[in-house]
Amino acid sequence: MADTLTPVLSDNWDQIRSWQLSSYQRSGGYDALRKALAMQPADVVATVKDSGLRGRGGAGFPTGMKWSFIPQDNPKPKYLVVNADESEPGTCKDIPLMLASPHTLVEGVIIASYAIRASVAFIYVRGEVLHVVRRLQQAVQEAKDAGYIGQNILGSGYDLDVVVHAGAGAYICGEETALLDSLEGRRGQPRLRPPFPAVAGLYGCPTVINNVESIASVPVIIKNGADWFSSMGTEKSKGMTLYSLSGHVTRPGQYEAPMGITLRELIDLAGGVREGHELKFWTPGGSSTPLLTSEHLDVPLDYEGVGSVGSMLGTKALQIFDDSVCVVRAVLRWTEFYKHESCGKCTPCREGTWWLVQILERLEHGKGTEEDLVTLLDLCENITGRSFCALADGATAPIASSIAHFKDEYLAHFENGGCPFDPMASTVFATAGASA
Amino acid sequence: MAENHTTATDKTVPYSTGDSKITDATIAEMREIAARYPVARSALLPMLHLVQSVEGRVTPEGIEACADVLGLTGAEVSAVATFYTMYKRRPVGDYHVGVCTNTLCAVMGGDLIFDRLKQHLDVGNDETTEDGKITLEHLECNAACDYAPVMMVNWEFFDDMTPESATQLVDDLRDGNEVKSPRGATICTWREAERVLAGYADGRADEGPTGGKATLAGLRLARERGWTAPGGSSNADTQKED
Ligand SMILES: Cc1cc2nc3c(=O)[nH]c(=O)nc-3n(C[C@H](O)[C@H](O)[C@H](O)COP(=O)(O)O)c2cc1C
Ligand code: SF4
Ligand code: FES
C-alpha cells in the first residue's frame, strides 16, 4: 500500500526556484530524457502503455495506446500538441504545475515527441495566465540552450522544435479538435471525427493531443518504470494524480494521491468542510461532471468508481459547496457559462443553452413552475448526445443531476417567490454571525 | 487556397497613416512570429496579441496588417478576432482588471467583489474608467479555484480577495503604486502583457514564488507526515523556498 499522499509531480514544488533548469536538474530532472533517448521510440510507447497511464484531461483514454495510433508509415510530419488550455470550471491543476515546474512538462514533451517521432511540439496554453506563459517560454529557452531541444538532441540524431503558443480566451479551444483549428489560426470550432487527429490532425498530419498532466507524468514513468507507476492506484486506474480541492474546505489546494482515494479522506486531509457547515454538493471533475452529494463521500475517485455512481472522474476538480450555497444559483451560473462558451456550430447547443438559461433564471427568481422543471429536463434530453461535441453534454450535466438530487430546493424557490439563500453567507468573508 | 501559404507573403504593407501605431517594425515582428510555425497562418493568434500590444486594441489597421502578412482577407482575420474574448475592439485601459464570477468564485465572494468594484470605479462590465486606467470585466474560471475568490490584473493572479482588498488593489493601480501579484511578477501594463502573449519574453519569469499556499497544501502535509510515493522523495530533505 502506498502512502495516503504521494507527491511525485508536485514533489519539487517547494524547492528554491523550482521553475529553473538548475533546480529541476538538482531534483533529477532530464535523467529520464537521457534514458528515453537510449531506448527505441517503440519501447518508450510500450513502457507508457504498460504503466496504465490514462489521459488526465478528462476522458481517461490510455495514453500509450493513443501514441500507438500514430501511423509511422505515413510520410507526413508528425506533431505533438499539449493541451494546456485548462478552462473547465473548477479545474486548477495544470496551471500551478506549469508555474512551479514547467520543466516537468517540457521534459515530458521531448520524450513523448521522441516516442511518436514528432518534429515539432506545441504547448497550447490559455492566454489568461501571463506568468505561466513567461515560465513556459523561459523553460523552453533553457532547454534549447542546454541542447535538450533542437538538432541532434544529446547526440541521439533526433531533432525537435517546441513552440509555446498562447490562446486568446475560449473554453471550447480545450476540446481537442477545436484546439487544432485554433492552433491553425482559425475560430476554435470542433471538427468532425473520423478522421481522428492521430491520422489527420494539425495541418492534416498525424497528431497526438495530450493534457499537461498526462505528458508531465511521462518522465517519471520512464525513470522509475511502468511497474513502479502501476503499483499505485486501483485495478484500472493506475498511478498518482493531482486532486484539486476548492471551495468550502479549510485548506483548499492540490493534493497528489494514488488514484482511488475518496473525498472523505481528501476533505479530512484538507482540514474538513468549513467550520459550522456541512457538505451539500460537489463536482468530482469540473462543472461538466454530474453533481454528487454527501452520499458519495466514500466513492473511490477513479474512473470506474465515479462512473458507477452516474458521474465522471473528469479532471479531478473537486469543488466543494456547503449548506450555505443555493444549488439553483450555482447551476444557473454554470449554465450561463456554457451558453457564453458555446461555439455556435450546432443548433441544439447554441439555441438549447440559451433556453436553459432563460428557464433557470426564471426558477432562481421564484417565477418558475413545476412544469418548467419538466421542460428543463426535456430540453436537456434533446441536447445531450445530439450535439456536435461534448461541451453540450457538459452543459446539461449540472442541471439534470441537481434536479435529481435537489428537486425540493427548486420547488422551494417558487413556493418562496425567490431564492431562500443569503448570498453573503457562502462567502469567505462572511462574518461569523452571518455564516452561522 | 490563400490560407495555405507555408511562409509569410512578402507583400509590403504601408501603415504609417492615421492613428495606427503599426510600423514596419511591427510588420517585421509579425513575419518573425509567422516563421515560428510550419504553416504561417498558425501565427494569427499571437499576431493579434501583438496588434493589441501596439494599438491597445484590435484596430482595423491591425486586422489588415495581419491579413496582408498571412495572405488572408480582412474578413477572414476579423472572423477569427471576434471569436476570442481576449481580443478587444474598444480601447483597454493600462490595467485590465478581471473578477472571476464563475460559480465557485461567485459563491465564495466574487459576485459581491464585482458589484463593489463596479460601484467603486463607476463602470459597468467591459467598460473603462474615465481616466483610461482601468477596464473592468467579469471572467470565467481562471484555473485558480483553490484561491477563490480570484481576480486577475493584466492576467496575473490575485488570490483570496475580499471587497476591501479589491478596492485597495484598484486604488493602488490608479495611484501608480507598485503592485505585485502574489503568484507572479510586478504588474506591467496591459500592452506589455499582450507582447509577452505574442511570444516576446520580458525577462520577468523569475519573479514571484513557485506557488501559493494552496498549491503547496498537499505537499506540505506529506512532508509533515513523512509520506512519499514508493521509493521515497529526492526532495524531502533539501532546502526549501521560504
Ligand atoms: C468542451 C471541452 C473542453 C475541454 N477542455 C480541456 C482542457 O482545457 N484541457 C484538456 O487537457 N482537455 C480538455 N478537454 C478534453 C480534450 O478534448 C482531450 O480529450 C484531452 O486534451 C486529451 O488529453 P488526454 O488524453 O491526455 O487526457 C476538453 C473537452 C471538451 C469537450
Ligand atoms: S456542442 Fe456547442 S460547442 Fe460543441 S460544436 Fe456544437 S455549438 Fe459548438
Ligand atoms: S471558479 Fe474562479 S478561478 Fe475557478
Side-chain angles (χ1 to χ4, degrees):
Chain A
M1 265 299 278
D3 287 341
T4 310
L5 290 177
T6 50
V8 175
L9 300 174
S10 59
D11 192 49
N12 65 329
W13 293 0
D14 60 356
Q15 303 299 296
I16 291 177
R17 299 197 160 203
S18 59
W19 62 87
Q20 291 182 342
L21 179 63
S22 52
S23 174
Y24 183 62
Q25 284 182 316
R26 270 198 302 281
S27 309
Y30 289 99
D31 291 353
L33 175 63
R34 289 192 170 78
K35 190 169 170 186
L37 290 175
M39 295 163 68
Q40 289 301 317
D43 294 335
V44 177
V45 176
T47 304
V48 173
K49 238 185 202 171
D50 292 346
S51 75
L53 173 64
R54 293 170 66 175
R56 305 299 197 222
F61 192 84
T63 304
M65 197 189 296
K66 190 183 272 191
W67 295 4
S68 69
F69 292 156
I70 294 290
Q72 288 301 338
D73 52 0
N74 187 322
K76 289 185 178 169
K78 286 142 200 95
Y79 297 110
L80 175 73
V81 177
V82 176
N83 190 340
D85 196 53
E86 189 160 75
S87 310
E88 163 80 8
T91 309
C92 52
K93 64 192 178 67
D94 299 337
I95 294 299
L97 186 154
M98 294 185 285
L99 196 60
S101 190
H103 279 288
T104 311
L105 176 63
V106 172
E107 185 179 12
V109 164
I110 307 167
I111 296 172
S113 299
Y114 173 73
I116 63 163
R117 298 177 177 84
S119 52
V120 187
F122 298 88
I123 301 173
Y124 184 110
V125 57
R126 65 183 297 184
E128 304 99 321
V129 286
L130 180 61
H131 211 54
V132 173
V133 174
R134 286 192 182 109
R135 290 211 171 144
L136 283 172
Q137 288 170 340
Q138 173 166 301
V140 167
Q141 191 55 49
E142 283 182 313
K144 284 183 179 166
D145 294 343
Y148 300 145
I149 294 171
Q151 305 280 306
N152 190 19
I153 297 169
L154 300 177
S156 64
Y158 174 61
D159 304 339
L160 175 71
D161 190 19
V162 178
V163 179
V164 176
H165 181 96
Y171 166 61
I172 190 59
C173 291
E175 195 283 332
E176 57 184 28
T177 60
L179 188 153
L180 292 177
D181 261 40
S182 176
L183 184 52
E184 290 184 0
R186 296 160 200 279
R187 297 165 77 92
Q189 292 189 314
R191 298 178 179 176
L192 192 65
R193 282 170 298 195
F196 288 92
V199 177
L202 188 66
Y203 315 131
C205 299
T207 303
V208 163
I209 304 153
N210 273 131
N211 169 259
V212 168
E213 190 189 349
S214 313
I215 294 293
S217 302
V218 168
V220 76
I221 290 172
I222 296 301
K223 192 160 144 188
N224 294 343
D227 291 345
W228 170 84
F229 187 78
S230 61
S231 75
M232 290 176 276
T234 56
E235 196 193 334
K236 290 185 180 151
S237 303
K238 298 296 189 191
M240 72 295 153
T241 194
L242 291 163
Y243 290 95
S244 312
L245 271 94
S246 61
H248 290 130
V249 289
T250 307
R251 283 184 301 277
Q254 307 302 318
Y255 292 82
E256 192 172 1
M259 279 276 182
I261 193 170
T262 64
L263 186 66
R264 188 184 299 283
E265 290 171 278
L266 282 168
I267 289 183
D268 185 47
L269 296 171
V273 168
R274 182 166 66 141
E275 209 180 330
H277 293 273
E278 278 174 28
L279 173 64
K280 182 169 170 182
F281 61 96
W282 54 290
T283 66
S287 58
S288 303
T289 58
L291 298 178
L292 297 175
T293 67
S294 55
E295 271 173 55
H296 307 104
L297 276 166
D298 296 310
V299 171
L301 296 175
D302 61 6
Y303 298 101
E304 294 67 37
V306 183
S308 74
V309 292
S311 189
M312 288 178 294
L313 184 62
T315 55
K316 306 155 281 115
L318 304 152
Q319 305 177 85
I320 310 299
F321 298 90
D322 72 18
D323 49 19
S324 67
V325 181
C326 168
V327 78
V328 185
R329 175 182 174 207
V331 171
L332 167 60
R333 189 58 58 88
W334 279 319
T335 310
E336 287 171 333
F337 164 79
Y338 290 107
K339 172 190 157 223
H340 180 250
E341 300 298 332
S342 166
C343 82
K345 181 167 180 144
C346 66
T347 313
C349 171
R350 185 187 60 241
E351 302 293 319
T353 51
W354 190 86
W355 283 109
L356 291 173
V357 167
Q358 301 302 305
I359 299 173
L360 277 164
E361 252 173 3
R362 201 151 69 215
L363 289 168
E364 166 69 350
H365 296 122
K367 298 192 183 107
T369 59
E370 208 161 341
E371 205 190 318
D372 279 335
L373 287 185
V374 179
T375 313
L376 209 50
L377 287 174
D378 191 43
L379 258 173
C380 287
E381 263 174 45
N382 278 303
I383 294 170
T384 311
R386 296 196 175 146
S387 303
F388 196 80
C389 86
L391 180 141
D393 303 347
T396 61
I399 301 174
S401 58
S402 64
I403 296 177
H405 295 303
F406 299 102
K407 188 168 178 196
D408 288 350
E409 194 164 313
Y410 279 89
L411 298 180
H413 276 71
F414 40 86
E415 282 158 10
N416 208 51
C419 179
F421 289 83
D422 169 11
M424 187 62 175
S426 64
T427 67
V428 287
F429 39 81
T431 54
S435 68
Chain B
M1 272 187 351
E3 62 265 37
N4 276 351
H5 290 291
T6 50
T7 54
T9 64
D10 53 13
K11 226 164 121 184
T12 50
V13 191
Y15 285 115
S16 49
T17 54
D19 287 339
S20 174
K21 296 188 178 59
I22 291 182
T23 62
D24 289 346
T26 319
I27 303 294
E29 285 185 337
M30 285 184 173
R31 293 191 198 290
E32 206 172 77
I33 297 171
R36 288 182 205 145
Y37 297 88
V39 175
R41 183 169 176 165
S42 282
L44 185 50
L45 266 59
M47 281 164 65
L48 286 165
H49 283 305
L50 186 73
V51 167
Q52 299 207 118
S53 79
V54 173
E55 301 270 73
R57 65 184 177 113
V58 175
T59 53
E61 291 85 351
I63 286 179
E64 287 308 319
C66 292
D68 285 348
V69 167
L70 296 176
L72 302 173
T73 64
E76 284 170 313
V77 174
S78 256
V80 173
T82 52
F83 185 82
Y84 297 93
T85 52
M86 288 179 80
Y87 298 133
K88 304 296 182 193
R89 290 309 185 101
R90 277 173 292 163
V92 172
D94 291 337
Y95 305 103
H96 177 271
V97 172
V99 182
C100 176
T101 58
N102 200 294
T103 301
L104 190 110
C105 280
V107 304
M108 301 293 283
D111 276 354
L112 297 175
I113 292 172
F114 187 58
D115 284 346
R116 178 76 73 91
L117 285 182
K118 279 195 287 199
Q119 268 174 28
H120 187 74
L121 297 169
D122 196 21
V123 292
N125 182 44
D126 213 6
E127 289 177 8
T128 303
T129 53
E130 261 173 35
D131 59 9
K133 292 232 164 109
I134 291 180
T135 302
L136 183 68
E137 192 179 12
H138 77 81
L139 306 177
E140 298 303 352
C141 175
N142 222 91
C145 326
D146 47 349
Y147 295 97
V150 173
M151 284 177 61
M152 306 296 293
V153 176
N154 294 344
W155 307 117
E156 297 256 30
F157 294 110
F158 286 82
D159 302 331
D160 303 310
M161 298 302 286
T162 64
E164 289 68 42
S165 63
T167 49
Q168 182 66 51
L169 173 62
V170 293
D171 287 348
D172 282 340
L173 292 169
R174 284 226 254 187
D175 294 346
N177 298 335
E178 185 181 271
V179 173
K180 284 195 166 104
S181 155
R183 283 190 295 140
T186 304
I187 297 306
C188 57
T189 65
W190 181 76
R191 292 185 189 207
E192 287 166 341
E194 282 291 319
R195 186 169 170 80
V196 176
L197 300 181
Y200 289 98
D202 64 357
R204 290 165 178 264
D206 288 332
E207 291 185 41
T210 67
K213 204 169 83 187
T215 303
L216 297 171
L219 182 60
R220 291 206 165 128
L221 191 65
R223 297 277 195 249
E224 250 171 64
R225 304 204 178 165
W227 288 337
T228 66
S233 159
S234 52
N235 294 307
D237 303 318
T238 57
Q239 210 186 347
K240 303 297 188 302
E241 278 248 317
D242 304 334

